Amino acid sequence: MVIFTPTDSQQTAQIRTVSYKVKTGDSLVRIANKFNVSVAELLEWNSLAQSQYLQPGQVIKLVVDESKLSA
């Protein structure tokens, strides 16, 4: 039996579902980069088509690993 224990240099995943309010100038690519997720994941989580435009004020769902977010 092997038990994995994270070392001090390893961060454990902190998965959280968050709502993000789209701002003027945002795009799927920009949001994906900001939250370290893929555009495909954004499309799937929000039942969007790639051809759909985001509108300022629109609220989208993201599933993020907070340990991987850049400050």
Side-chain angles (χ1 to χ4, degrees):
M1 176 191 230
V2 176
I3 299 174
F4 175 78
T5 305
T7 63
D8 291 338
S9 63
Q10 295 173 319
Q11 292 181 334
T12 57
Q14 298 173 11
I15 307 299
R16 179 178 281 178
T17 301
V18 296
S19 295
Y20 176 78
K21 190 172 184 177
V22 177
K23 298 176 181 77
T24 302
D26 274 345
S27 67
L28 289 172
V29 172
R30 187 174 282 179
I31 295 168
N33 288 337
K34 180 175 183 172
F35 289 96
N36 200 24
V37 297
S38 72
V39 171
E41 289 171 321
L42 288 176
L43 295 173
E44 181 182 339
W45 296 330
N46 293 283
S47 302
L48 297 171
Q50 196 158 7
S51 60
Q52 287 180 282
Y53 290 103
L54 295 177
Q55 300 296 320
Q58 180 179 352
V59 178
I60 61 172
K61 178 175 74 171
L62 297 108
V63 180
V64 298
D65 180 351
E66 291 182 331
S67 67
K68 293 183 179 179
L69 291 178
S70 56

